Amino acid sequence: MNITVKSPANIAFIKYWGQKNTECTLPYHDSFSMNLSGCFVEIDCQFSTNLKKHELLIQGYKEDYPNVALPEQYQRLADYYHKIKKYFNQSTDVGFTMTSRISFPMKAGIASSAAFFSAVAMAFATYYGKSTHTKELSRIARLSGSGSATRSIPDGFVWWYAGNDHESSFAESIAPPDYWDIRDIVIITSRDHKQISSDKGHEQASTSPFFKKRVSYIKQKTIPQVKKAFSDKDFTRFGQLIEHEALYMHHIMMTQKTPLYYWNEKTISLLRHIAALRDNGIEAYATIDAGHNIHCICEAKNEEVIVSSLDQLAGIEDYIVNKPTFGTRSINLY
Ligand code: DP6
């Protein structure tokens, strides 16, 4: 059986950092994101009981994007396969060859694992003839260990309910892609891979003396405030809240037992550039996942002026303009 799946990366407006249960990848609090139209992965999967091996090939859409699978990515995929096999109560092994095409740099704070593992979740569930209903698929995606993969499954603007167990932790679309015409301009200052993976980082999140405070702040303040700004389409308030939230997460990262500094010098200068745009009346806000690359969030009407401001800056390798988009889709099955 051959299956082709396309899945987007997503940018978190309310970030997930830290796991209360590593086996099921359960977060401490809800998170909220938008799927990205220009950052996606497509995988072609060939499943066969005659195949003895599990193979993975990663190809970049652009020449300078990665085109080989790293050993740890292969291992993560193999671990996920074994988990899924158990989850679906399968006794016999199936071999597979996966060819994955990625439209953006991997392991650089643009949620490549989320895009990849959400696509893989759809491929496995389809192969085993299991439900590909969004809610269930979002649970299955989470079992890959990439928590953010759960949010790439539904369409548009997506809420991940933290829950208390496997059943109650799932993602759901709270608004379709055309709800709000906003952009995420991903500014790529380097294709370097991050040194420490997110899963290693999650392990130490609770060692930050500020972690407990963050969890209660998110539950009591950030969630109701972001929900209100989103439903009012109050972009100024929304932008302020999400930039603050990103900085709060990095504050936790930097104060973990082994501090995690995902930023580089260009990250700081871009944060300053975005603040300067605001000083000049152009509404732009920054958010940063576990990596050095910046996501600049703006309304559609400001996209052009922001992009041309980037053209004048030194040290920018590329940028990808993203609109809100659909979630994981099976695009071919034969
Ligand atoms: C910082 O465990 O989802 O992006 O394994 O790289 O997919 P990967 O990361 P994951 O943690 C990433 C968390 C975050 C914030 C977020 O997306 O909510």
Side-chain angles (χ1 to χ4, degrees):
M1 184 194 251
N2 289 357
I3 301 166
T4 299
V5 182
K6 179 174 178 179
S7 196
N10 65 77
I11 180 63
F13 297 134
I14 300 175
K15 317 261 185 207
Y16 132 70
W17 194 245
Q19 296 168 351
K20 66 181 176 206
N21 175 316
T22 46
E23 182 59 21
C24 294
T25 320
L26 298 182
Y28 282 90
H29 52 76
D30 294 6
S31 57
F32 173 45
S33 61
M34 174 181 109
N35 287 331
L36 305 180
S37 61
C39 298
F40 56 87
V41 162
E42 281 172 6
I43 55 167
D44 297 323
C45 313
Q46 193 191 354
F47 290 93
S48 166
T49 42
N50 295 327
L51 278 174
K52 292 277 171 282
K53 296 188 291 190
H54 301 147
E55 286 180 342
L56 171 66
L57 172 69
I58 299 183
Q59 297 178 328
Y61 270 92
K62 292 192 184 176
E63 261 173 35
D64 44 359
Y65 289 179
N67 53 19
V68 282
L70 304 170
E72 74 261 22
Q73 288 165 327
Y74 173 77
Q75 189 54 50
R76 209 170 163 189
L77 177 62
D79 291 347
Y80 186 37
Y81 161 72
H82 289 293
K83 213 163 179 181
I84 288 289
K85 185 181 152 201
K86 200 166 151 203
Y87 184 75
F88 289 145
N89 281 322
Q90 301 295 315
S91 50
T92 48
D93 269 310
V94 62
F96 54 80
T97 304
M98 287 191 184
T99 307
S100 147
R101 292 176 296 280
I102 182 161
S103 74
F104 58 102
M106 288 194 300
K107 293 167 77 75
I110 321 175
S112 52
S113 310
F116 178 70
F117 281 108
S118 50
V120 173
M122 169 78 93
F124 280 146
T126 308
Y127 173 75
Y128 285 121
K130 301 292 177 183
S131 168
T132 52
H133 184 271
T134 307
K135 202 187 221 185
E136 173 59 0
L137 210 53
S138 76
R139 293 187 187 105
I140 294 170
R142 173 170 48 69
L143 296 177
S144 66
S146 170
S148 50
T150 198
R151 295 189 312 244
S152 284
I153 301 279
D155 291 345
F157 296 90
V158 177
W159 202 267
W160 176 10
Y161 301 93
N164 291 314
D165 54 17
H166 177 68
E167 191 64 19
S168 57
S169 185
F170 61 89
E172 184 171 85
S173 175
I174 58 163
D178 62 1
Y179 169 76
W180 206 3
D181 202 11
I182 60 173
R183 301 284 181 269
D184 173 5
I185 305 171
V186 176
I187 307 171
I188 299 161
T189 55
S190 153
R191 296 174 215 291
D192 291 350
H193 289 177
K194 58 187 164 198
Q195 306 274 307
I196 312 279
S197 66
S198 304
D199 38 325
K200 287 273 167 295
H202 284 294
E203 279 172 18
Q204 287 210 349
S206 61
T207 63
S208 163
F210 309 105
F211 182 72
K212 270 197 186 137
K213 172 74 189 158
R214 170 173 157 80
V215 173
S216 60
Y217 189 86
I218 287 194
K219 288 181 179 170
Q220 283 158 29
K221 297 264 191 274
T222 316
I223 289 180
Q225 289 172 347
V226 168
K227 270 190 175 160
K228 177 153 186 359
F230 184 72
S231 70
D232 293 348
K233 292 191 184 163
D234 178 347
F235 187 73
T236 306
R237 185 73 188 123
F238 186 75
Q240 289 165 344
L241 288 166
I242 64 162
E243 184 166 311
H244 180 266
E245 155 54 9
L247 298 177
Y248 202 167
M249 178 185 73
H250 282 270
H251 172 65
I252 300 297
M253 291 165 161
M254 291 179 198
T255 52
Q256 293 182 190
K257 191 169 166 217
T258 311
L260 270 179
Y261 305 115
Y262 281 119
W263 301 359
N264 60 22
E265 298 70 17
K266 289 177 194 161
T267 316
I268 306 270
S269 39
L270 276 166
L271 280 171
R272 293 211 168 97
H273 178 71
I274 289 169
L277 285 171
R278 287 200 295 270
D279 291 343
N280 287 306
I282 300 153
E283 285 222 78
Y285 295 90
T287 182
I288 314 164
D289 275 350
H292 47 266
N293 291 311
I294 291 245
H295 297 248
C296 176
I297 311 297
C298 65
E299 291 169 290
K301 63 177 185 195
N302 284 326
E303 173 193 323
E304 241 178 81
V305 64
I306 294 171
V307 164
S308 51
S309 81
L310 298 176
D311 288 341
Q312 290 149 27
L313 289 181
I316 304 227
E317 291 200 12
D318 203 356
Y319 55 81
I320 304 173
V321 177
N322 295 279
K323 299 178 181 182
T325 194
F326 295 101
T328 311
R329 289 277 190 279
S330 184
I331 53 179
N332 198 2
L333 177 61
Y334 52 93

